[in-house]
Amino acid sequence: MQQIIDKLLILQDRDRRIMHLRDQMARIEPERQSFQGRADATQAGLESVKNKAKHVESERKKLELDAESKKQQIERYTLQQFQTKKNEEYRALAHEIDTCKAGIAGLEDRQLELMEQAEGLQRESATAARQAEDTRKLAEGQLRELASREQSLREELTGLESNRNQLTADIDERALRHYERLLRNKGDNVVVGIEHGVCGGCHMRFPVQLLVSCQAAKELVTCPNCGRILYYKPEMDLAAVD
Ligand SMILES: [Zn+2]
């Protein structure tokens, strides 16, 4: 029986390492998404500044066209002024021309404002482009590192799993089934020592009879409370038992 216990202890050690590796691997994908997300967010910031700049530029062009068409309108009114002989009509045209000029002045003021905005956005866009580039490079490095960590974890895990298969092939079937059921239900602490007369898993105090049969190691002894597989080693303290 001691032999089975020893094998189960080695298996348990292997399973602990396997679980630890799986934990580490499970953390890789969220990390990857967080690095990628940061890079995507800075890139999106850059795109948004660029779009704003484009919008401002097309607004400014539109104003320029409006001003241009008003200038042409003035030319047409001026021509009409030359051609008319009626004072009243001449004055009306002069009024139209003034209105157009005022309109042009307003459009030019607005164009200047937009040009200032465009300059600000250009600076902002240059900064955002540098940030996006830095973040992208950083993320690329982090993602490469994650990929290589994932690769080595996977290799280590594959090695451990094949080692586990070798171990289990060599363990008594009933004991193994019991062990694996415990592993599923109770995690990685299922083959436990008896120290100071209590279960190393649930800490229940055992009757002497159980300690004796565990010491005799003739059969697989389990904790009557939690079902964990128990083992006893001479160096473990039995003195505390009443
Ligand atoms: Zn127990």
Side-chain angles (χ1 to χ4, degrees), residues 56-234:
V56 166
E57 177 56 15
S58 78
E59 278 288 287
R60 194 195 60 78
K61 280 219 171 99
K62 198 169 147 278
L63 296 178
E64 203 175 58
L65 288 176
D66 286 354
E68 194 50 46
S69 89
K70 282 197 195 304
K71 279 177 193 160
Q72 285 166 4
Q73 189 64 45
I74 289 174
E75 278 171 27
R76 280 195 294 276
Y77 288 147
T78 312
L79 194 66
Q80 285 172 9
Q81 274 184 325
F82 275 120
Q83 289 161 344
T84 188
K85 293 192 172 56
K86 293 176 194 157
N87 272 342
E88 202 176 312
E89 200 178 324
Y90 187 92
R91 271 198 304 275
L93 286 165
H95 178 71
E96 292 296 337
I97 289 171
D98 285 347
T99 310
C100 279
K101 281 182 179 164
I104 290 170
L107 289 167
E108 281 172 351
D109 286 351
R110 182 81 189 109
Q111 275 190 73
L112 280 176
E113 280 170 26
L114 289 177
M115 276 155 86
E116 276 169 30
Q117 266 188 42
E119 271 173 40
L121 285 169
Q122 216 167 9
R123 282 193 297 272
E124 218 179 293
S125 159
T127 310
R130 274 197 302 277
Q131 277 173 352
E133 177 65 7
D134 289 351
T135 319
R136 188 184 60 80
K137 276 189 191 150
L138 184 68
E140 273 173 9
Q142 288 165 325
L143 291 174
R144 262 199 307 277
E145 204 200 303
L146 268 189
S148 97
R149 199 198 306 168
E150 189 175 35
Q151 175 69 17
S152 70
L153 284 174
R154 188 172 291 134
E155 278 165 18
E156 200 181 338
L157 189 60
T158 309
L160 283 174
E161 279 168 346
S162 99
N163 179 249
R164 182 186 202 276
N165 286 340
Q166 288 166 7
L167 290 174
T168 53
D170 197 31
I171 297 175
D172 168 77
E173 214 176 296
R174 270 192 57 217
L176 182 63
R177 268 209 306 277
H178 188 73
Y179 167 83
E180 296 204 313
R181 195 167 50 239
L182 285 168
L183 191 71
R184 278 194 298 277
N185 298 329
K186 299 200 184 294
D188 64 2
N189 187 36
V190 296
V191 185
V192 297
I194 301 175
E195 285 187 69
H196 302 291
V198 303
C199 169
C202 70
H203 306 293
M204 192 184 92
R205 181 163 294 279
F206 293 136
V208 176
Q209 184 48 44
L210 189 136
L211 298 172
V212 171
S213 60
C214 196
Q215 243 177 319
K218 291 221 168 59
E219 53 184 357
L220 206 64
V221 181
T222 59
C223 170
N225 184 44
C226 71
R228 286 181 174 87
I229 298 165
L230 300 170
Y231 69 97
Y232 168 82
K233 278 188 186 164

Side-chain angles (χ1 to χ4, degrees), residues 230-241:
L230 300 170
Y231 69 97
Y232 168 82
K233 278 188 186 164
E235 64 263 31
M236 285 175 175
D237 181 18
L238 270 173
V241 184

